[in-house]
Amino acid sequence: MPQSPDDLDAVAVRTWCSLALAALGAEREEIDAINVYPVADGDTGTNLYLTMESAAQAVEAVFAAHETVTGPAASVPLLSDAVRAMAHGALIGARGNSGTILSQLLRGMSEELAAVERADGAALCRALERAAASAYEAVAHPVEGTVLTVATAAARAAAALDGASVSVSGVARAAYEGARSALPQTTGQLAVLGRAGVVDAGGRGLVAVLGVLVEAVTGEAVAVRAKAAVHPLEAADDCAADHADEGGPAFEVIYLLEADDAAVDRLRHRLDGLGDSLVVVGGDGLWNVHVHVDDAGAAVEAGIEAGRPYRIRITHFGADRVAPPRERAQRAVVVVVPGEGLMELCAQAGATTVLARPGEPPASGELVDAIRRAHAREVVLLPNDADLRHTAAAAAQQVRTEGVRVSLIPTRAAVQGIAALAVHEPDRRFDEDVVAMTSAAGATRYAELAVAERQSWTTAGVCQAGDVLGLIDGDVAVIGTDVAATARTVLDRMLSAGGELVTLVLGEGEGVPSGLGESLEAHVRERHLAVDTVVYRGGHQPSPLLIGIE
């Protein structure tokens, strides 16, 4: 069916996600400051931003994949693909109570918009109603005066339209105005908000998100900022003390869960008896679970009984509230690593680490969190992946606005990061340290082995599914059938140009033969005189072997 000019399409969804991310980034600190419910831990703005960042990245990935197949000048992706990606990205990246609810709001919208042939104003209206209803269903004990109230007000305002007003732009404006009108009322609906003199933090974030939806479909910006409160920082601090005195649950537990619907129903009942602030969102076998409990182990065990929990995050509220402020270190190194083994190695060297999971590169928000966690005046950031260059640059720029001096060394591989970390000396001047680390990384040539997933053309010829590929400096240079033999060929080719030190990082799994490290070390010793070899265990990582030559 032809697309009407007023219909919602994938480009509008992409624009909305981008604008929402920018809006939440601009208001993050103010939203954090008024976060007093359900726990005054000052992170609602941050959690909304990180959740939206994951959604926006997923939508961008759909556009990138579409351009790869059809070319940049071709038609845009289907709306259904864009909204499903948005919902999935929000689900896997949801942070905290507020982010988890936001992900369910986006999922509710996507379920309606992906099922229609035309995404007109009526469809958007139904999507907003479904979003609010599904968010209520996801929360074990819904409370008025929260983001749920604001979402419902938005949906009802949109549903009240009639006639020519039921257009995409008209529905978006009505939803925004309904949410904006409902937000100030939350102060009187929830006692803790009234005591603090603030509006609901999650609700304020939703107003920002709906405000830029209007801009995405009309091209006209609206004033999305709402008055937060009188003295929000002091009020939030007072409420934090009140919550501590009331003896709320000590831990926040969040994890992704692969499980069927029946198991999740049992899990909801089990977790409801363990704590509060229970929100379970998702569907189709993948869920995001959020709960506040005193027994974090029991909450994780319940997930294990239900299915396969992963990306488990546990936050101790009490420690955050009572710990005295920590003195900033002078300098720290933040490094992205591809496996648990290197994560432990870099941590032992004093670095703050960020784990890059297969197919899930860290978002800029995760890098910002890591830099803040390092708690230093000066930070050296090692992304260890060429594809993370722009993400790392964005994170560095954001933290610089907070007064932290950040230097980004554009390491392209984990072995370059290891080389840089090896020469790091925190006692010398920052600029000198950065120059030395940059020089060490730049002097390290890198390679890795990979297993071909399908037949394909490469710079070394045609490979078949299951072939072992040897990539040198990012390009396929060797095609083989055996991991050890391919590794030896790669080593010989790289060392023919010289080298004094070989670094090997071994992965784990069926594709990594037993004794690989020892056999390669012996090969280098026999074939290349005066070259030393260092072997590290990388744990579960995408590549069976990483190689560095210095």
Side-chain angles (χ1 to χ4, degrees):
M1 180 177 292
Q3 189 84 2
S4 164
D6 191 58
D7 287 352
L8 191 69
D9 62 6
V11 173
V13 171
R14 183 190 200 182
T15 303
W16 180 34
C17 289
S18 176
L19 291 173
L21 184 61
L24 291 172
E27 296 200 39
R28 179 185 61 79
E29 291 185 1
E30 292 184 22
I31 295 174
D32 281 346
I34 63 170
N35 171 205
V36 299
Y37 181 84
V39 174
D41 48 356
D43 63 358
T44 290
T46 299
N47 289 335
L48 290 171
Y49 176 85
L50 294 174
T51 303
M52 199 70 231
E53 181 180 46
S54 183
Q57 287 182 335
V59 174
E60 289 299 325
V62 166
F63 273 80
H66 187 77
E67 289 181 1
T68 299
V69 174
T70 64
S75 60
V76 300
L78 296 174
L79 171 66
S80 58
D81 291 338
V83 294
R84 286 181 181 129
M86 174 184 71
H88 180 74
L91 175 67
I92 65 174
R95 297 290 192 94
N97 186 75
S98 54
T100 307
I101 293 175
L102 174 61
S103 75
Q104 189 67 1
L105 288 169
L106 296 179
R107 180 181 177 86
M109 291 186 70
S110 74
E111 288 174 342
E112 181 65 38
L113 294 175
V116 297
E117 191 171 345
R118 273 190 58 197
D120 54 11
L124 179 58
C125 186
R126 294 193 301 272
L128 290 165
E129 291 180 309
R130 185 161 182 170
S134 63
Y136 263 96
E137 292 169 1
V139 178
H141 301 285
V143 175
E144 295 306 321
T146 65
V147 63
L148 299 175
T149 305
V150 176
T152 299
R156 287 175 177 169
L161 295 176
D162 56 21
S165 299
V166 187
S167 62
V168 167
S169 57
V171 169
R173 286 186 186 279
Y176 165 62
E177 293 296 342
R180 193 171 69 159
S181 297
L183 181 61
Q185 300 174 29
T186 60
T187 306
Q189 292 172 318
L190 198 56
V192 66
L193 301 181
R195 290 197 300 270
V198 297
V199 298
D200 179 66
R204 178 171 171 181
L206 181 60
V207 169
V209 171
L210 291 175
V212 293
L213 175 59
V214 177
E215 183 176 353
V217 299
T218 67
E220 302 172 7
V222 297
V224 298
R225 285 177 175 260
K227 288 191 72 173
V230 179
H231 307 305
L233 287 170
E234 290 135 355
D237 288 342
D238 290 343
C239 286
D242 290 345
H243 191 277
D245 293 340
E246 291 167 4
F251 298 97
E252 177 185 59
V253 179
I254 306 174
Y255 49 80
L256 291 178
L257 177 71
E258 293 178 358
D260 59 36
D261 291 3
V264 170
D265 287 341
R266 294 191 296 270
L267 176 66
R268 280 194 177 99
H269 180 74
R270 172 86 179 274
L271 293 179
D272 195 27
L274 290 176
D276 58 29
S277 298
L278 173 61
V279 185
V280 181
V281 301
D284 301 321
L286 180 62
W287 309 82
N288 191 306
V289 179
H290 169 280
V291 67
H292 294 174
V293 294
D294 282 319
D295 189 344
V300 175
E301 288 173 5
I304 294 173
E305 292 177 5
R308 186 179 80 88
Y310 60 102
R311 293 182 68 170
I312 300 168
R313 293 191 296 271
I314 300 174
T315 303
H316 185 198
F317 292 130
D320 291 341
R321 286 195 290 264
V322 303
R326 185 162 53 99
E327 181 68 22
R328 280 189 181 273
Q330 181 60 34
R331 189 174 308 158
V333 179
V334 174
V335 55
V336 180
V337 293
E340 293 89 347
L342 284 185
M343 193 173 187
E344 182 178 350
L345 174 69
C346 293
Q348 289 173 352
T352 299
T353 59
V354 179
L355 182 62
R357 301 170 182 84
E360 296 179 18
S364 65
E366 292 180 75
L367 299 183
V368 168
D369 278 353
I371 296 171
R372 290 176 179 149
R373 196 167 69 246
H375 204 63
R377 298 181 182 89
E378 302 167 338
V379 174
V380 180
L381 178 58
L382 306 174
N384 294 340
D385 186 340
D387 291 337
L388 285 179
R389 180 181 57 188
H390 297 300
T391 301
Q397 184 59 36
Q398 181 176 340
V399 179
R400 287 186 188 116
T401 65
E402 301 172 8
V404 180
R405 188 179 183 187
V406 183
S407 180
L408 169 61
I409 299 178
T411 47
R412 300 165 63 88
V415 288
Q416 289 187 327
I418 293 172
L421 193 57
V423 301
H424 166 58
E425 291 186 14
D427 294 333
R428 63 186 166 197
R429 291 178 56 247
F430 184 64
D431 291 338
E432 293 176 354
D433 199 27
V434 170
V435 168
M437 296 176 72
T438 302
S439 178
T444 303
R445 289 167 289 146
Y446 61 95
E448 66 176 310
L449 300 190
V451 178
E453 297 181 356
R454 59 185 179 276
Q455 184 186 60
S456 179
W457 286 93
T458 76
T459 51
V462 178
C463 70
Q464 305 296 326
D467 281 350
V468 180
L469 309 179
L471 292 86
I472 299 177
D473 293 336
D475 293 323
V476 177
V478 178
I479 299 175
T481 58
D482 176 78
V483 169
T486 305
R488 289 193 294 269
T489 302
V490 170
L491 282 168
D492 291 342
R493 185 169 300 187
M494 296 181 74
L495 287 170
S496 66
E500 299 176 354
L501 176 65
V502 173
T503 300
L504 303 176
V505 182
L506 303 178
E508 290 181 357
E510 298 179 0
V512 182
S514 176
L516 177 62
E518 293 80 0
S519 67
L520 294 179
E521 188 174 6
H523 175 78
V524 171
R525 187 170 55 249
E526 294 169 3
R527 296 284 298 272
H528 304 278
L529 299 178
V531 177
D532 295 324
T533 303
V534 179
V535 180
Y536 297 115
R537 305 290 171 178
H540 293 288
Q541 59 185 30
S543 172
L545 178 66
L546 306 177
I547 300 172
I549 306 288
E550 300 176 51

